[in-house]
Amino acid sequence: MAQSIAFGIAGKVLEKLGNVAYEGICSVWGVRKEFAKLKDTLAAIRAMVLDAEQQQARTQELSLWLQRFKDACYDVEDLIDEFKIEAFRRQVLERGSTKRKVRHFFSGSNPLAFRFRMGYKIKKANEMLNEIATSMAKFRLTQKHETNVIHRERETYSFVKTSSVIGRDEAKQDLVNILMNPTDENDIPVRPIVGIGGIGKTTLAQLVFNEESVKSHFELRIWVCVTEDFDIKQLMIKIIKSATDDVWNDDNKKWRELKDLLCGGAQGSRIIVTTRSLDVATITGTIPRYDLEHLSYENCLSLFLKLAFIEGEEKQHDNLVKIGEGIVQKCKGVALAVKTLGSLLRSTRVQHEWEVVRDSELVKLKQKENDILPALKLSYDHLPWYLKQCFAFCSVFPKDFEFGHHRLTQLWLANGFLQSPYENEEPEDIGNRYIQELLSRSFFQQYEDYLLFTKFKMHDLVHDLALSVAQNEVNSCNHYSTGNVRHLWFDLSKQDASQLPNNLGCLQSLFLFDEEGKADSESLIAEVISRSKHLRVLDLASCSLEQLPNNIRYFKRLRYLSLAYDGNIKRLPNSICNLPSLETLDLVGCRVIEELPKDIRYLISLRSLTVTTKQTRLQENGISCLTSLRRLIFSECENLEKLFEDIQNLTALRELYIHECHNLVSLPQGLKYLTALELLVIWNCEKLDLIMEELELEREEGGSLRKLAVRGVPKLESLPQWILLGSIKTLQHLYISNLNNLWTLPTWFQHFTSLQNLYIINCPKLSCLSEGMQHLTALKRLRIGECPKLNKRCIEETGEDWPKIAHVPDFYCGDFETTTNDK
C-alpha cells in the first residue's frame, strides 16, 4: 500500500508531539501526562490506517471513519500550534510597552486562563481519539507497512524538458497546409481537432501555433482557453490578453455569438479548436474536423525511453527496456500516459519498481470519455504522502490557472504542508523542491520560464485527478464539496453568495474574488471569516475593499493575507499587527494605502512582505525589526524617496525587489551587509543614483548574490561595484536592460566565474564587451538585443567581440519581441 495522506498527517502530528521543543512546552504548562495519552492513542490508530485506506472503497462506513480520524489529526495539530502561537505572543510582549503587557495580563491570554483553556481542549481531544479508537475495532483492521513509494534523490529534481515532440510531424503539416490554403468563404474557417484527453491535441496545436511559416503568414496570433463557464465578455477579455488552452463549452448559441464577434477579423483569418467533445466539434466547426489518432507504438516507445532514461543510458539496462515495452503497450497510444509513467520511472533503476508499474491494474484500465487517465492515478499513488497533500491542495485553483513558485510555496507553508528531513532547510527551498518533483512527474506543466521566475499550470486531466483525491476538502469553481471544506475558492463575479457552503468550521484557506464589485464584499467577508475560526490563508486579491473586517485581529492562526490590487483600501487597521503567526502579507497594487501600520514591527513571523504605499519615507524601527523576513518587495511606491536606513538588521533576507519606485533617489548603505541576499531586482526607478553610493561604500566580501536584474535606471553609467564585487564567486544570472547611459562593462567582469545567464538589452551606448569574457566558462546563455554598437561587434564569426563569446552554447544577438519574457 502506498503512503496515504491520513497516515502521513498522523505521523507529522506524532513527530510534533515528540519534538524536543514540545517536550519543553509540556514542562512549562504542566500538560505532559495529557499529551502522552494523545500520543499513545494516535500511534495505535495510525498503525491501522494503511489497511483502512486499502479497504475503504468496500464500505462507506470505513471511509467516514477514516475521514473522522483525519479531521481529528488536524484538530490535534491545531491544538499543538496554539502553544506555538502563545510563545509568539510572549515574544511580542517582550518588544512591547508596559501598557501592552498589562492589557495582556487582563485578557483571556494571560497564563492562568491559557493553561485552563488548553487543559480542557486536550481533554476533549483525548476523548475524541478514544471514541475513534473504540469504533475502529469493528472493522478488524490489521497493521500494514508502506510500499511502492518511488522516492527521488535530493540532487535529481531537474525538470525533463521535451524539446521535440515525437510522432506528430504529419499531423502538424496537414494543419499548417489548411491554415495556409486560401478560401472563398466569407466566414472564418474553423477546424476542430478532436481526441481523448491526454492524446496530444494541445501539443499539436502548439506546434502549429509556433511553426515559423505560421508566424510569418499571420500578422496576429491568439491563443485562448474556453472553459465550462462560457461568458462572452470574460472570453473577449481573455482573447485580448491571449490566454491559453482547450475549448470545453458546447452551448451552440454562445459559440455563434462569439464567432460573430470574431468575424470582424482580417481577411484570411483562421481558427483552430481543440476539444475532447464531438458535440463541441460539431457546433464550432465550419470545415471537417481533424480526428487525432493515437501515437503509434514505436513513437510511444521512443517518447518513453527519452523520458525514462538519460540519453544513451537505456543501452545499459536491457531488462528495464523490456519492462518498459510492456508499460508502453498498456498506454494504448495516449501521449500523456507515456509521459507520466516515463517521468515517474526516470528516478529509479530498481527492476521491481518498474515491474510494479507494469503489472498495476490501473494501467490495464481503459480510459473512458472525460475519465481520469489511469496512468495519472498510478503515478499519484506512488507519490510520498506530503506531495499528495500539496498536489491535492492545487485543485482549489480553477482549471487553466497560472501560478508562480513563490505564491504556491507560501500557500503550502501557511497550511503546514512543507516537511523536510533536514533540520536547517529553509521552507522556501523545500517548496521549490516539491515543485520540481511535481514538474518532473508531469503533475505540473511549465507554462512560462522567465528570467527571475517560472509559471506553471496543471493539465485539465491532472486537475480532475487532484479534485478526485482532495476527498471533499476542496470547494472550487463548479465543484461543490459536501464534507468539511478546508480550502475554498469563490468568485463572486461568477457565483452567487447563496452558493457558499455552510460547513466552514474547518476552513483553512479562503480565496475570494469580486473584480466586478457585484456583492457587498465587506459584510460577506466578515460573515465568512466569523464562521472560519481555523483560517490560515485569506486571499482577498481584487476584492476592492475599503477596510478590513474588525474581527480579523482574532485570527491568531492566520499565516497568509493578500489584499493585492485592492484599489480602495487606504489604511490597514493597526490590529493586523496582533497576528503573531502571519508569514505572508501581500499589498502589491494597493495604490491608495497612505501608510503602513505603525506597529508593523510586531509581525515577528513575517517571511514575505510586498508593499505598495503612498509614503515618501518609511519609519525607522518598523520593517527593519522583521528579522524573519526572507522576501521583501517595494512595488509602485510612487512617492517613496528613501528606504529605511537600518536595513542591515534583516540578516535573513534572501530576495529584495524594488519595482516602479519612480522617486526613489538612493539605496541604504546597510544593503551591502545583507550577506544572505541571493536575488536583487531594481526595476524602472528613474531617479535612483546607484553610482553615488560608490564614494561611501567599500567592497563587502562574503556575499551570496546569485541573481541581479537592473532595468530602467537611466543615471547608471557603469555597473555598481559595491553591489557586485562581493558576489564574484556566486553570481549566476545577470540581467541589464533599458540603461540608456551605460557605456562600459568593468574590467573585473571576467572574474564572475559562476555566471550562467547574461542578458544585455537596450543599452544603446554600450559599445563593446569587457576584456577576458572568454574566461567565463560557466556562461551557458547570452542574449544581446537592441544595442546597435554592441550588436555589430558580436556578429557570429566576423564581429570584433566574437572571440570573447564564441564558447557560449546558447547565444542570440538581435531584436527582441519582448525583452522581459525572453526564454
Side-chain angles (χ1 to χ4, degrees), residues 327-394:
I327 293 171
V328 168
Q329 283 180 339
K330 293 176 180 178
C331 289
K332 299 179 176 66
V334 178
L336 184 59
V338 176
K339 182 180 176 184
T340 299
L341 297 181
S343 299
L344 170 67
L345 293 170
R346 187 177 179 88
S347 64
T348 178
R349 297 295 172 257
V350 179
Q351 181 169 327
H352 173 68
E353 292 182 347
W354 282 56
E355 289 170 341
V356 166
V357 171
R358 181 196 61 195
D359 299 335
S360 168
E361 291 299 318
L362 278 171
V363 177
K364 299 175 186 176
L365 293 176
K366 184 179 180 180
Q367 184 187 0
K368 300 176 183 176
E369 186 178 358
N370 295 327
D371 267 3
I372 293 166
L373 197 64
L376 287 177
K377 181 62 169 64
L378 176 65
S379 189
Y380 168 82
D381 286 342
H382 283 78
L383 288 175
W385 76 270
Y386 51 85
L387 283 182
K388 287 180 177 177
Q389 192 176 30
C390 290
F391 171 68
F393 170 81
C394 293

Side-chain angles (χ1 to χ4, degrees), residues 133-197:
T134 301
S135 61
M136 178 177 68
K138 62 185 172 185
F139 300 118
R140 298 182 180 180
L141 301 173
T142 58
Q143 187 170 348
K144 300 227 171 183
H145 300 283
E146 309 167 61
T147 57
N148 299 347
V149 178
I150 296 179
H151 291 279
R152 308 251 167 152
E153 292 299 322
R154 193 178 185 192
E155 294 78 18
T156 59
Y157 291 115
S158 57
F159 174 47
V160 183
K161 293 185 178 179
T162 52
S163 55
S164 60
V165 179
I166 294 172
R168 295 302 188 198
D169 291 341
E170 185 179 340
K172 181 188 77 171
Q173 196 55 52
D174 286 348
L175 286 166
V176 169
N177 292 340
I178 291 166
L179 292 178
M180 300 299 192
N181 287 342
T183 176
D184 296 329
E185 297 182 31
N186 293 323
D187 284 347
I188 298 176
V190 180
R191 177 83 174 213
I193 303 174
V194 184
I196 64 170

